[in-house]
Amino acid sequence: MNDRSREVFRRVVEGYLASGDPVGSRTLTRDFSEKVSAATIRNVMQDLEYMGLLGSPHISAGRIPTQMGLRMFVDSMIELGDPTETDREMIDATLGDNASDVTGILDRVGSALSGVTQGASLVLTPKHEAPIKHIEFVSLSQDRALVVLVFSDGHVENRLFTPPLGQTPSSMREAANFLNAIVEGKTISELQRTIEREIMLRRQEIDILAQQLVESGLALWEGGDENSERLIVRGRSNLLAGEAEEEDLARIKTLFDDLERKRDIAEFLELADDAEGVRIFIGSENKLFSLSGSSLVVSPYMNADRKVIGAVGVIGPTRLNYGRIVPIVNYTAQLVGKLVSDRS
């Protein structure tokens, strides 16, 4: 694009993000950097539409950016500043008390983030990464069992699960003995990576029922159930407010039905673990949000060892004010990382 087409494109996108309405050629000529006619602007807009960067929602209407156009704007034209003092104060206020309950504080962070951005917030709480001291399986009934993890720092977690068919007290003891023999000094993540290798090496030593119990019991901490419990969603009503059309509301409700059931939520973990900073997903670029046509701005947060342990994000319509939302999400992620590190 030349300078004129870049300016037209930038002004159309900024006008759309500000108002949600198509931007017409007459609007652009009023404060354009050079004196040009509306006809000239229309020709440029047609060229940009041919390139796939702009679209026209109605005949004779102005233009709006396509998903590809928004992506190009976000990647190469967006102007990012710092969060405003008011925005920072609202986020800071949630971290100001001395409560020891990190999850409770992160819940308030999520509420503040949705309030500041007028979108829906996602907060992925930290994994517990202390080394494991002991593991136990407890049979409660034929189809219910409990797996108990005791960590070296005294923290205890237990979860109910459905054991494989045919489990006996003997196979449960064998499964626990197998795990306790290899668990010392390992975190959950490290243990998960070790299990498959150990089962292959010692397949003859461990009963098939115990093997199934090991795999199903430990999967609770690395699979979807754990991710569901770690995800805090706040402010979904923000996306249902305003002047959204009926079709848009239906798509947004589909998105939050998925989030309520925590379906495909491992995808959100992937977004966080792969990121080195704030990442922006627009519309169908991520399958979790493609049905709703929403955008996601997400940033990981790290512990004192610079290891990604969680994430914060904001979901909103594709016409998010990215220039404002990105610094807010980045600021919140840094604060949460410091909070978690200080309390570890």
Side-chain angles (χ1 to χ4, degrees):
M1 291 191 290
N2 58 28
D3 290 343
R4 178 182 291 174
S5 58
R6 283 180 67 85
E7 183 174 355
V8 169
F9 174 71
R10 180 176 58 80
R11 287 179 179 271
V12 169
V13 176
E14 289 176 345
Y16 170 73
L17 293 181
S19 68
D21 297 324
V23 179
S25 55
R26 290 187 180 279
T27 302
L28 295 180
T29 56
R30 291 178 195 145
D31 56 356
F32 207 72
S33 60
E34 57 178 308
K35 186 165 179 153
V36 292
S37 67
T40 299
I41 296 292
R42 280 196 296 274
N43 288 337
V44 174
M45 292 168 82
Q46 286 174 357
D47 291 341
L48 292 168
E49 188 169 3
Y50 180 76
M51 295 165 65
L53 299 175
L54 298 183
S56 180
H58 308 289
I59 297 175
S60 301
R63 302 302 197 279
I64 63 173
T66 61
Q67 182 175 306
M68 186 170 79
L70 282 174
R71 169 51 60 192
M72 192 183 97
F73 176 80
V74 164
D75 287 345
S76 61
M77 295 185 178
I78 193 171
E79 295 181 4
L80 299 176
D82 295 321
T84 66
E85 186 175 347
T86 301
D87 290 341
R88 288 199 307 269
E89 286 175 352
M90 286 185 68
I91 301 297
D92 291 347
T94 63
L95 307 180
D97 64 43
N98 294 315
S100 59
D101 180 11
V102 172
T103 301
I105 295 174
L106 294 182
D107 192 347
R108 294 196 294 278
V109 169
S111 297
L113 191 57
S114 67
V116 168
T117 62
Q118 288 303 293
S121 68
L122 303 179
V123 178
L124 200 62
T125 62
K127 300 177 188 177
H128 196 83
E129 284 292 322
I132 302 166
K133 184 177 180 181
H134 186 73
I135 295 175
E136 198 69 46
F137 292 102
V138 181
S139 177
L140 302 177
S141 66
Q142 219 172 12
D143 61 350
R144 300 298 279 168
L146 191 70
V147 56
V148 182
L149 267 69
V150 180
F151 294 85
S152 59
D153 60 359
H155 179 77
V156 178
E157 288 189 23
N158 58 77
R159 293 200 187 138
L160 288 168
F161 72 105
T162 302
L165 291 174
Q167 287 298 327
T168 64
S170 174
S171 66
M172 289 200 170
R173 281 194 303 273
E174 189 172 355
N177 291 339
F178 169 80
L179 286 169
N180 286 315
I182 63 173
V183 74
E184 188 175 356
K186 291 183 175 65
T187 64
I188 289 174
S189 299
E190 292 166 343
L191 179 60
Q192 193 73 21
R193 290 191 293 268
T194 303
I195 286 175
E196 281 188 29
R197 184 175 69 250
E198 288 292 328
I199 285 179
M200 289 296 293
L201 290 173
R202 300 168 60 180
R203 190 174 294 275
Q204 301 303 317
E205 299 176 34
I206 182 169
D207 180 86
I208 187 66
L209 286 175
Q211 176 186 330
Q212 292 171 351
L213 185 62
V214 166
E215 292 169 345
S216 62
L218 266 292
L220 283 175
W221 269 268
E222 286 295 320
D225 288 347
E226 183 224 4
N227 300 340
S228 299
E229 293 185 11
R230 291 177 55 209
L231 186 70
I232 300 171
V233 182
R234 293 291 175 265
R236 63 181 235 169
S237 59
N238 289 333
L239 297 189
L240 301 174
E243 301 176 359
E245 296 185 10
E246 188 173 341
E247 185 180 345
D248 296 329
L249 290 177
R251 287 200 300 265
I252 290 168
K253 286 175 180 176
T254 297
L255 164 68
F256 279 99
D257 284 344
D258 286 349
L259 284 175
E260 282 299 315
R261 291 191 297 268
K262 307 303 190 285
R263 193 171 72 198
D264 290 335
I265 212 60
E267 185 75 11
F268 185 70
L269 269 172
E270 263 180 45
L271 306 185
D273 286 346
D274 291 344
E276 295 182 1
V278 179
R279 297 184 68 187
I280 301 170
F281 296 87
I282 301 170
S284 60
E285 290 178 352
N286 179 257
K287 69 177 184 180
L288 181 58
F289 307 103
S290 60
L291 290 178
S292 66
S294 302
S295 286
L296 167 69
V297 179
V298 61
S299 178
Y301 59 87
M302 304 178 184
N303 60 15
D305 298 324
R306 304 297 296 167
K307 181 177 181 181
V308 172
I309 55 172
V312 297
V314 170
I315 303 173
T318 53
R319 67 174 195 86
L320 275 175
N321 183 344
Y322 298 97
R324 175 173 175 262
I325 301 298
V326 169
I328 290 173
V329 170
N330 183 51
Y331 179 77
T332 305
Q334 291 181 16
L335 277 185
V336 170
K338 185 176 186 307
L339 165 78
V340 173
S341 296
D342 288 347
R343 290 168 185 265
S344 295

